Amino acid sequence: MQESPKLRRLVSLLSRLPGVGEKTAQRYVLHLLTADPQIAHDLGAELATLHDQLRPCDRCGNIAEVVPNEPETTCAICRDHKRDARLLCVVGRVHDLMAIERTGAMRGRYFVLGRLLSPLEGIGPEELPLPRLAARIAADGVTEVIVATPPSVDGEATALLLKRELAILGVTMTRIASGVPHGGELEYADPITMGRALAGRQSL
Amino acid sequence: MQESPKLRRLVSLLSRLPGVGEKTAQRYVLHLLTADPQIAHDLGAELATLHDQLRPCDRCGNIAEVVPNEPETTCAICRDHKRDARLLCVVGRVHDLMAIERTGAMRGRYFVLGRLLSPLEGIGPEELPLPRLAARIAADGVTEVIVATPPSVDGEATALLLKRELAILGVTMTRIASGVPHGGELEYADPITMGRALAGRQSL
Protein backbone atom coordinates (compact mmCIF):
# COMPACT_ATOMS: atom_id res chain seq x y z
CA MET A 1 0.00 0.00 0.00
CA GLN A 2 1.38 3.37 -1.02
CA GLU A 3 0.68 5.61 1.94
CA SER A 4 2.26 8.90 2.76
CA PRO A 5 4.85 8.80 5.58
CA LYS A 6 2.94 11.59 7.37
CA LEU A 7 -0.24 9.52 7.33
CA ARG A 8 1.63 6.41 8.47
CA ARG A 9 3.24 8.27 11.35
CA LEU A 10 -0.04 9.79 12.52
CA VAL A 11 -1.84 6.43 12.29
CA SER A 12 0.94 4.78 14.27
CA LEU A 13 0.75 7.44 17.01
CA LEU A 14 -3.05 7.23 17.20
CA SER A 15 -2.79 3.43 17.45
CA ARG A 16 -1.10 3.95 20.83
CA LEU A 17 -4.47 5.00 22.27
CA PRO A 18 -6.29 2.28 24.21
CA GLY A 19 -8.57 0.17 22.02
CA VAL A 20 -7.49 1.96 18.83
CA GLY A 21 -6.16 -0.25 16.05
CA GLU A 22 -4.78 0.77 12.68
CA LYS A 23 -8.18 0.86 10.99
CA THR A 24 -9.75 3.06 13.66
CA ALA A 25 -6.73 5.35 13.62
CA GLN A 26 -7.06 5.69 9.85
CA ARG A 27 -10.75 6.48 10.25
CA TYR A 28 -9.87 9.24 12.73
CA VAL A 29 -7.37 10.79 10.33
CA LEU A 30 -9.73 10.62 7.35
CA HIS A 31 -12.44 12.22 9.47
CA LEU A 32 -10.15 15.04 10.59
CA LEU A 33 -8.98 15.60 7.00
CA THR A 34 -12.53 16.14 5.79
CA ALA A 35 -13.63 18.16 8.84
CA ASP A 36 -12.91 21.81 9.67
CA PRO A 37 -9.08 22.15 9.74
CA GLN A 38 -9.43 24.11 12.98
CA ILE A 39 -10.41 20.90 14.85
CA ALA A 40 -7.21 19.02 13.98
CA HIS A 41 -5.20 22.13 14.73
CA ASP A 42 -6.78 22.76 18.13
CA LEU A 43 -6.65 19.08 19.09
CA GLY A 44 -2.99 18.98 18.13
CA ALA A 45 -2.18 22.10 20.14
CA GLU A 46 -3.97 20.74 23.23
CA LEU A 47 -2.24 17.36 23.01
CA ALA A 48 1.20 18.84 22.46
CA THR A 49 0.94 20.77 25.73
CA LEU A 50 -0.94 18.08 27.66
CA HIS A 51 1.83 17.12 30.06
CA ASP A 52 2.87 20.73 30.61
CA GLN A 53 -0.61 21.65 31.77
CA LEU A 54 -2.00 18.56 33.48
CA ARG A 55 -0.30 16.27 35.97
CA PRO A 56 -1.28 14.13 38.96
CA CYS A 57 -2.39 16.04 42.04
CA ASP A 58 0.41 15.93 44.63
CA ARG A 59 -2.12 15.17 47.35
CA CYS A 60 -4.52 12.61 45.84
CA GLY A 61 -3.31 11.58 42.37
CA ASN A 62 -6.34 13.01 40.54
CA ILE A 63 -5.70 15.05 37.40
CA ALA A 64 -4.69 18.59 38.30
CA GLU A 65 -3.91 21.72 36.31
CA VAL A 66 -0.34 22.90 36.69
CA VAL A 67 -0.20 26.46 38.03
CA PRO A 68 3.09 28.19 37.06
CA ASN A 69 5.30 29.15 40.02
CA GLU A 70 3.22 27.09 42.46
CA PRO A 71 5.37 24.62 44.42
CA GLU A 72 2.46 22.19 44.85
CA THR A 73 0.08 20.93 42.15
CA THR A 74 -3.35 20.27 43.66
CA CYS A 75 -6.59 19.26 41.97
CA ALA A 76 -9.90 21.11 42.20
CA ILE A 77 -11.30 18.53 44.64
CA CYS A 78 -8.37 18.84 47.07
CA ARG A 79 -8.66 22.63 46.90
CA ASP A 80 -12.43 22.60 47.45
CA HIS A 81 -12.96 23.63 51.08
CA LYS A 82 -16.59 22.54 50.97
CA ARG A 83 -15.44 18.91 50.71
CA ASP A 84 -15.35 16.93 53.93
CA ALA A 85 -11.66 16.21 54.55
CA ARG A 86 -12.55 13.52 57.11
CA LEU A 87 -14.16 11.33 54.45
CA LEU A 88 -11.58 9.76 52.12
CA CYS A 89 -12.47 7.55 49.16
CA VAL A 90 -9.64 5.28 47.98
CA VAL A 91 -9.77 4.29 44.30
CA GLY A 92 -7.50 2.34 42.00
CA ARG A 93 -7.46 4.68 39.02
CA VAL A 94 -8.47 8.22 38.08
CA HIS A 95 -11.13 6.65 35.81
CA ASP A 96 -12.85 5.29 38.92
CA LEU A 97 -12.65 8.65 40.70
CA MET A 98 -14.39 10.21 37.71
CA ALA A 99 -17.11 7.56 37.71
CA ILE A 100 -17.80 8.28 41.39
CA GLU A 101 -17.75 12.05 40.83
CA ARG A 102 -20.39 11.64 38.12
CA THR A 103 -22.84 10.43 40.78
CA GLY A 104 -22.50 13.75 42.61
CA ALA A 105 -22.94 11.72 45.81
CA MET A 106 -19.39 11.91 47.16
CA ARG A 107 -18.89 14.82 49.57
CA GLY A 108 -15.40 13.78 50.69
CA ARG A 109 -12.04 13.67 48.96
CA TYR A 110 -10.09 10.93 47.16
CA PHE A 111 -6.85 9.03 47.14
CA VAL A 112 -5.79 7.34 43.90
CA LEU A 113 -3.64 4.25 44.44
CA GLY A 114 -2.56 4.17 40.82
CA ARG A 115 -2.59 0.37 40.78
CA LEU A 116 -4.15 -2.62 42.50
CA LEU A 117 -2.53 -5.50 44.29
CA SER A 118 -2.03 -8.17 41.65
CA PRO A 119 -0.03 -11.29 42.43
CA LEU A 120 -0.53 -12.44 38.82
CA GLU A 121 1.09 -9.29 37.45
CA GLY A 122 3.71 -9.28 40.19
CA ILE A 123 2.35 -6.19 41.96
CA GLY A 124 2.85 -6.66 45.69
CA PRO A 125 1.94 -4.48 48.70
CA GLU A 126 5.25 -2.61 48.47
CA GLU A 127 4.24 -1.26 45.01
CA LEU A 128 1.20 0.51 46.49
CA PRO A 129 1.57 4.01 48.01
CA LEU A 130 0.47 2.83 51.47
CA PRO A 131 2.83 5.10 53.49
CA ARG A 132 1.56 8.12 51.56
CA LEU A 133 -2.04 7.05 52.15
CA ALA A 134 -1.44 6.58 55.88
CA ALA A 135 0.22 10.00 56.08
CA ARG A 136 -2.73 11.58 54.29
CA ILE A 137 -5.22 9.96 56.67
CA ALA A 138 -3.27 11.20 59.70
CA ALA A 139 -2.67 14.71 58.34
CA ASP A 140 -6.30 15.31 57.32
CA GLY A 141 -7.86 13.74 60.43
CA VAL A 142 -9.76 11.28 58.25
CA THR A 143 -12.46 9.38 60.17
CA GLU A 144 -13.86 7.17 57.38
CA VAL A 145 -12.06 5.52 54.50
CA ILE A 146 -14.37 4.29 51.73
CA VAL A 147 -12.55 1.58 49.79
CA ALA A 148 -13.84 1.90 46.22
CA THR A 149 -11.54 -0.53 44.44
CA PRO A 150 -13.45 -2.63 41.87
CA PRO A 151 -15.26 -5.83 42.91
CA SER A 152 -12.68 -7.96 41.07
CA VAL A 153 -10.06 -10.39 42.38
CA ASP A 154 -7.38 -7.68 42.44
CA GLY A 155 -9.79 -5.07 43.78
CA GLU A 156 -10.92 -7.30 46.65
CA ALA A 157 -7.34 -8.28 47.47
CA THR A 158 -6.41 -4.60 47.59
CA ALA A 159 -9.40 -3.85 49.86
CA LEU A 160 -8.32 -6.59 52.29
CA LEU A 161 -4.75 -5.31 52.26
CA LEU A 162 -5.92 -1.77 53.03
CA LYS A 163 -8.09 -3.05 55.88
CA ARG A 164 -5.13 -4.86 57.40
CA GLU A 165 -2.56 -2.12 56.86
CA LEU A 166 -4.71 0.77 58.02
CA ALA A 167 -6.22 -1.02 61.07
CA ILE A 168 -3.58 0.52 63.30
CA LEU A 169 -4.86 4.04 62.48
CA GLY A 170 -8.22 3.28 64.11
CA VAL A 171 -10.18 4.75 61.21
CA THR A 172 -13.62 3.45 60.14
CA MET A 173 -13.27 1.51 56.90
CA THR A 174 -16.16 0.83 54.53
CA ARG A 175 -16.44 -0.92 51.18
CA ILE A 176 -18.72 0.07 48.28
CA ALA A 177 -21.63 -2.32 47.69
CA SER A 178 -21.47 -4.98 45.00
CA GLY A 179 -24.61 -6.55 43.51
CA VAL A 180 -26.93 -6.66 40.52
CA PRO A 181 -26.52 -3.38 38.60
CA HIS A 182 -29.39 -0.93 38.16
CA GLY A 183 -31.61 -2.07 35.31
CA GLY A 184 -29.91 -5.46 35.27
CA GLU A 185 -31.89 -8.63 34.75
CA LEU A 186 -31.46 -11.19 37.55
CA GLU A 187 -31.69 -13.87 34.87
CA TYR A 188 -28.46 -12.66 33.28
CA ALA A 189 -26.49 -11.85 36.43
CA ASP A 190 -23.44 -14.06 36.85
CA PRO A 191 -23.40 -16.31 39.96
CA ILE A 192 -20.76 -14.23 41.77
CA THR A 193 -22.68 -10.98 41.30
CA MET A 194 -25.93 -12.70 42.32
CA GLY A 195 -24.21 -14.18 45.38
CA ARG A 196 -22.93 -10.74 46.36
CA ALA A 197 -26.37 -9.23 45.90
CA LEU A 198 -27.76 -11.86 48.29
CA ALA A 199 -24.96 -11.58 50.84
CA GLY A 200 -25.19 -7.79 50.84
CA ARG A 201 -28.98 -7.68 51.28
CA GLN A 202 -30.38 -4.91 53.45
CA SER A 203 -33.61 -4.60 55.41
CA LEU A 204 -36.52 -3.12 53.44
CA MET B 1 -18.01 17.09 38.68
CA GLN B 2 -14.96 19.27 39.20
CA GLU B 3 -12.88 18.88 36.08
CA SER B 4 -10.12 21.09 34.86
CA PRO B 5 -11.01 23.33 31.88
CA LYS B 6 -7.99 21.95 29.99
CA LEU B 7 -9.25 18.39 30.43
CA ARG B 8 -12.78 19.41 29.45
CA ARG B 9 -11.57 21.12 26.30
CA LEU B 10 -9.42 18.18 25.24
CA VAL B 11 -12.24 15.69 25.90
CA SER B 12 -14.63 17.84 23.88
CA LEU B 13 -12.21 17.99 20.93
CA LEU B 14 -11.55 14.24 21.03
CA SER B 15 -15.31 13.61 21.10
CA ARG B 16 -15.45 15.05 17.58
CA LEU B 17 -13.74 11.91 16.29
CA PRO B 18 -16.10 9.35 14.73
CA GLY B 19 -17.47 6.87 17.28
CA VAL B 20 -15.75 8.60 20.20
CA GLY B 21 -17.99 9.65 23.09
CA GLU B 22 -17.08 11.52 26.23
CA LYS B 23 -16.06 8.39 28.15
CA THR B 24 -13.76 7.11 25.41
CA ALA B 25 -12.25 10.58 25.02
CA GLN B 26 -11.56 10.66 28.75
CA ARG B 27 -9.98 7.22 28.55
CA TYR B 28 -7.68 8.48 25.77
CA VAL B 29 -6.59 11.49 27.84
CA LEU B 30 -5.97 9.42 30.98
CA HIS B 31 -3.96 6.96 28.93
CA LEU B 32 -1.84 9.71 27.40
CA LEU B 33 -1.29 11.30 30.81
CA THR B 34 0.15 8.09 32.23
CA ALA B 35 2.13 7.19 29.10
CA ASP B 36 5.45 8.65 27.90
CA PRO B 37 4.87 12.44 27.52
CA GLN B 38 6.61 12.24 24.14
CA ILE B 39 3.61 10.41 22.67
CA ALA B 40 1.10 13.16 23.46
CA HIS B 41 3.59 15.75 22.29
CA ASP B 42 4.31 14.04 18.97
CA LEU B 43 0.66 13.24 18.34
CA GLY B 44 -0.22 16.86 19.03
CA ALA B 45 2.47 18.16 16.70
CA GLU B 46 1.34 15.84 13.88
CA LEU B 47 -2.33 16.77 14.28
CA ALA B 48 -1.64 20.50 14.44
CA THR B 49 0.05 20.38 11.04
CA LEU B 50 -2.26 17.76 9.50
CA HIS B 51 -4.01 20.02 7.00
CA ASP B 52 -0.79 21.80 6.05
CA GLN B 53 0.83 18.52 5.06
CA LEU B 54 -1.96 16.32 3.74
CA ARG B 55 -4.76 17.20 1.32
CA PRO B 56 -6.79 15.48 -1.39
CA CYS B 57 -4.87 14.54 -4.53
CA ASP B 58 -5.81 16.98 -7.29
CA ARG B 59 -6.14 14.12 -9.75
CA CYS B 60 -7.97 11.35 -7.85
CA GLY B 61 -9.02 12.60 -4.41
CA ASN B 62 -6.80 10.16 -2.48
CA ILE B 63 -4.76 11.55 0.43
CA ALA B 64 -1.62 13.25 -0.85
CA GLU B 65 1.35 14.91 0.80
CA VAL B 66 1.64 18.60 0.04
CA VAL B 67 4.95 19.42 -1.61
CA PRO B 68 5.93 23.10 -1.04
CA ASN B 69 6.15 25.19 -4.23
CA GLU B 70 4.48 22.48 -6.34
CA PRO B 71 1.46 23.80 -8.25
CA GLU B 72 -0.25 20.38 -8.21
CA THR B 73 -0.72 18.04 -5.24
CA THR B 74 -0.66 14.42 -6.42
CA CYS B 75 -0.76 11.21 -4.42
CA ALA B 76 1.77 8.40 -4.56
CA ILE B 77 -0.56 6.23 -6.67
CA CYS B 78 -1.11 8.90 -9.32
CA ARG B 79 2.66 9.50 -9.45
CA ASP B 80 3.46 5.78 -9.72
CA HIS B 81 4.33 5.17 -13.37
CA LYS B 82 4.13 1.41 -12.92
CA ARG B 83 0.36 1.72 -12.42
CA ASP B 84 -1.79 1.05 -15.46
CA ALA B 85 -3.40 4.42 -16.30
CA ARG B 86 -5.96 2.71 -18.53
CA LEU B 87 -7.54 0.91 -15.60
CA LEU B 88 -9.50 3.26 -13.33
CA CYS B 89 -11.24 2.19 -10.13
CA VAL B 90 -14.04 4.52 -8.98
CA VAL B 91 -14.71 4.51 -5.22
CA GLY B 92 -16.98 6.49 -2.92
CA ARG B 93 -14.51 7.35 -0.18
CA VAL B 94 -10.78 7.26 0.53
CA HIS B 95 -11.53 4.52 3.11
CA ASP B 96 -12.66 2.27 0.26
CA LEU B 97 -9.57 3.05 -1.80
CA MET B 98 -7.46 2.00 1.17
CA ALA B 99 -9.40 -1.24 1.61
CA ILE B 100 -8.79 -2.09 -2.06
CA GLU B 101 -5.10 -1.15 -1.84
CA ARG B 102 -4.70 -3.56 1.09
CA THR B 103 -5.49 -6.44 -1.27
CA GLY B 104 -2.46 -5.54 -3.40
CA ALA B 105 -4.53 -6.72 -6.37
CA MET B 106 -5.27 -3.35 -8.00
CA ARG B 107 -2.73 -2.45 -10.66
CA GLY B 108 -4.61 0.61 -11.97
CA ARG B 109 -5.40 4.01 -10.50
CA TYR B 110 -8.38 5.45 -8.62
CA PHE B 111 -10.98 8.15 -8.68
CA VAL B 112 -12.65 9.11 -5.39
CA LEU B 113 -16.18 10.43 -5.84
CA GLY B 114 -16.27 11.81 -2.30
CA ARG B 115 -19.94 10.92 -1.94
CA LEU B 116 -22.59 8.57 -3.27
CA LEU B 117 -25.89 9.32 -4.92
CA SER B 118 -28.42 9.47 -2.09
CA PRO B 119 -31.98 10.63 -2.75
CA LEU B 120 -32.71 10.19 0.96
CA GLU B 121 -29.95 12.62 1.93
CA GLY B 122 -30.73 14.92 -0.97
CA ILE B 123 -27.54 14.13 -2.88
CA GLY B 124 -28.36 14.16 -6.61
CA PRO B 125 -26.25 13.48 -9.71
CA GLU B 126 -25.16 17.13 -9.89
CA GLU B 127 -23.38 16.78 -6.50
CA LEU B 128 -21.07 14.10 -7.90
CA PRO B 129 -17.87 15.11 -9.75
CA LEU B 130 -18.99 13.45 -13.01
CA PRO B 131 -17.46 16.05 -15.39
CA ARG B 132 -14.09 15.69 -13.62
CA LEU B 133 -14.35 11.88 -13.85
CA ALA B 134 -15.20 12.03 -17.56
CA ALA B 135 -12.27 14.37 -18.20
CA ARG B 136 -9.93 12.04 -16.32
CA ILE B 137 -11.08 9.04 -18.37
CA ALA B 138 -10.54 10.93 -21.62
CA ALA B 139 -7.17 12.42 -20.61
CA ASP B 140 -5.68 9.14 -19.38
CA GLY B 141 -7.05 6.99 -22.21
CA VAL B 142 -8.87 4.79 -19.68
CA THR B 143 -10.20 1.58 -21.23
CA GLU B 144 -11.84 -0.02 -18.17
CA VAL B 145 -13.67 1.63 -15.28
CA ILE B 146 -14.14 -0.63 -12.25
CA VAL B 147 -17.05 0.70 -10.23
CA ALA B 148 -16.21 -0.15 -6.61
CA THR B 149 -18.98 1.70 -4.82
CA PRO B 150 -20.41 -0.39 -1.93
CA PRO B 151 -23.15 -2.97 -2.55
CA SER B 152 -25.70 -0.77 -0.74
CA VAL B 153 -28.76 1.10 -2.05
CA ASP B 154 -26.74 4.31 -2.53
CA GLY B 155 -23.74 2.42 -3.89
CA GLU B 156 -25.84 0.57 -6.47
CA ALA B 157 -27.68 3.73 -7.48
CA THR B 158 -24.32 5.45 -7.97
CA ALA B 159 -23.07 2.52 -10.06
CA LEU B 160 -26.13 2.72 -12.33
CA LEU B 161 -25.72 6.48 -12.68
CA LEU B 162 -22.06 6.07 -13.66
CA LYS B 163 -22.98 3.42 -16.20
CA ARG B 164 -25.54 5.75 -17.79
CA GLU B 165 -23.43 8.90 -17.68
CA LEU B 166 -20.21 7.34 -18.95
CA ALA B 167 -21.80 5.20 -21.69
CA ILE B 168 -21.06 7.91 -24.25
CA LEU B 169 -17.31 7.52 -23.64
CA GLY B 170 -17.37 3.94 -24.95
CA VAL B 171 -15.29 2.64 -22.03
CA THR B 172 -15.68 -0.88 -20.60
CA MET B 173 -17.44 -0.68 -17.25
CA THR B 174 -17.26 -3.42 -14.61
CA ARG B 175 -18.68 -3.76 -11.11
CA ILE B 176 -16.98 -5.47 -8.14
CA ALA B 177 -18.58 -8.78 -7.10
CA SER B 178 -21.03 -8.99 -4.21
CA GLY B 179 -21.68 -12.25 -2.37
CA VAL B 180 -21.07 -14.28 0.76
CA PRO B 181 -17.84 -12.94 2.37
CA HIS B 182 -14.77 -15.12 2.79
CA GLY B 183 -15.14 -17.31 5.86
CA GLY B 184 -18.83 -16.42 6.08
CA GLU B 185 -21.40 -19.06 6.99
CA LEU B 186 -24.16 -19.44 4.40
CA GLU B 187 -26.53 -20.07 7.30
CA TYR B 188 -26.01 -16.52 8.59
CA ALA B 189 -25.90 -14.70 5.25
CA ASP B 190 -28.80 -12.27 4.81
CA PRO B 191 -31.17 -13.03 1.89
CA ILE B 192 -29.91 -10.14 -0.25
CA THR B 193 -26.28 -11.22 0.07
CA MET B 194 -27.24 -14.83 -0.57
CA GLY B 195 -29.30 -13.76 -3.59
CA ARG B 196 -26.33 -11.83 -4.96
CA ALA B 197 -24.02 -14.77 -4.40
CA LEU B 198 -26.41 -16.94 -6.47
CA ALA B 199 -26.95 -14.37 -9.21
CA GLY B 200 -23.23 -13.72 -9.53
CA ARG B 201 -22.24 -17.40 -9.71
CA GLN B 202 -19.36 -18.26 -12.01
CA SER B 203 -18.41 -21.47 -13.79
CA LEU B 204 -16.16 -23.78 -11.79
Side-chain angles (χ1 to χ4, degrees):
Chain A
M1 169 128 191
Q2 290 165 312
E3 267 177 358
S4 87
K6 163 89 179 177
L7 177 62
R8 233 180 352 247
R9 185 167 153 70
L10 188 45
V11 165
S12 135
L13 281 165
L14 283 168
S15 305
R16 309 286 286 266
L17 294 172
V20 175
E22 206 172 301
K23 273 197 190 169
T24 302
Q26 216 166 57
R27 204 152 50 91
Y28 289 173
V29 178
L30 290 175
H31 177 87
L32 288 171
L33 273 173
T34 50
D36 182 355
Q38 196 63 40
I39 296 175
H41 183 270
D42 290 356
L43 182 55
E46 291 292 332
L47 285 172
T49 59
L50 177 64
H51 285 268
D52 304 329
Q53 294 187 26
L54 295 181
R55 42 160 296 185
C57 171
D58 288 335
R59 309 195 67 210
C60 76
N62 183 21
I63 293 177
E65 299 224 338
V66 174
V67 181
N69 304 321
E70 280 268 325
E72 204 190 28
T73 301
T74 47
C75 73
I77 297 174
C78 281
R79 279 198 314 272
D80 181 359
H81 295 299
K82 291 200 294 288
R83 296 274 179 153
D84 186 350
R86 293 164 306 170
L87 183 62
L88 189 69
C89 182
V90 178
V91 294
R93 307 182 309 159
V94 175
H95 308 61
D96 305 329
L97 179 158
M98 288 177 164
I100 296 170
E101 276 297 289
R102 276 194 286 270
T103 67
M106 176 66 189
R107 53 187 182 79
R109 296 214 173 100
Y110 295 89
F111 188 89
V112 180
L113 293 171
R115 58 210 325 185
L116 300 175
L117 200 61
S118 177
L120 270 180
E121 289 180 36
I123 300 172
E126 63 289 343
E127 327 263 351
L128 300 186
L130 298 179
R132 224 156 46 76
L133 173 56
R136 167 81 187 259
I137 291 169
D140 281 13
V142 170
T143 54
E144 180 181 350
V145 170
I146 303 176
V147 181
T149 53
S152 61
V153 172
D154 291 355
E156 296 295 356
T158 307
L160 289 175
L161 174 76
L162 291 177
K163 186 184 169 185
R164 202 182 63 204
E165 294 292 318
L166 302 177
I168 198 172
L169 299 174
V171 68
T172 301
M173 295 195 64
T174 55
R175 180 94 177 93
I176 55 164
S178 174
V180 182
H182 173 72
E185 290 279 1
L186 298 199
E187 182 183 351
Y188 301 123
D190 65 281
I192 296 175
T193 297
M194 199 63 233
R196 281 189 175 146
L198 279 173
R201 67 192 180 278
Q202 296 177 343
S203 57
L204 263 175
Chain B
M1 169 131 193
Q2 290 165 313
E3 266 178 2
S4 87
K6 163 89 180 176
L7 178 61
R8 239 186 341 255
R9 185 166 153 71
L10 188 45
V11 164
S12 133
L13 281 165
L14 283 168
S15 306
R16 309 285 286 267
L17 293 173
V20 175
E22 206 172 302
K23 274 196 190 171
T24 302
Q26 217 167 56
R27 204 152 50 90
Y28 288 173
V29 177
L30 290 175
H31 177 87
L32 288 171
L33 274 172
T34 50
D36 181 355
Q38 197 63 40
I39 296 175
H41 183 269
D42 290 355
L43 182 56
E46 290 292 332
L47 286 172
T49 59
L50 177 63
H51 286 267
D52 304 329
Q53 294 187 25
L54 295 182
R55 44 160 294 187
C57 171
D58 288 334
R59 310 195 68 210
C60 76
N62 183 21
I63 294 176
E65 300 224 336
V66 175
V67 181
N69 304 321
E70 279 268 323
E72 204 191 28
T73 301
T74 47
C75 73
I77 297 173
C78 281
R79 278 198 313 272
D80 182 358
H81 295 298
K82 291 201 294 288
R83 296 273 179 156
D84 186 350
R86 293 164 307 170
L87 182 62
L88 190 69
C89 182
V90 178
V91 295
R93 307 181 309 159
V94 176
H95 308 61
D96 305 329
L97 179 158
M98 288 178 165
I100 295 171
E101 276 298 290
R102 276 195 286 271
T103 66
M106 177 65 189
R107 51 186 184 79
R109 296 215 174 98
Y110 296 89
F111 188 88
V112 181
L113 293 171
R115 59 210 325 183
L116 300 175
L117 200 61
S118 178
L120 271 179
E121 288 179 37
I123 300 172
E126 64 289 342
E127 327 263 350
L128 300 186
L130 298 179
R132 222 155 46 75
L133 173 55
R136 167 82 187 259
I137 291 169
D140 282 12
V142 170
T143 54
E144 179 181 351
V145 170
I146 303 176
V147 181
T149 54
S152 61
V153 172
D154 291 356
E156 296 295 356
T158 307
L160 289 175
L161 174 74
L162 291 178
K163 186 183 169 185
R164 202 182 64 204
E165 294 292 318
L166 302 178
I168 197 172
L169 298 174
V171 68
T172 301
M173 296 195 63
T174 55
R175 179 96 178 91
I176 55 164
S178 174
V180 181
H182 174 72
E185 290 278 4
L186 298 198
E187 183 183 350
Y188 302 124
D190 65 281
I192 294 176
T193 297
M194 200 62 234
R196 280 187 177 150
L198 279 174
R201 66 191 181 279
Q202 296 179 342
S203 59
L204 263 173

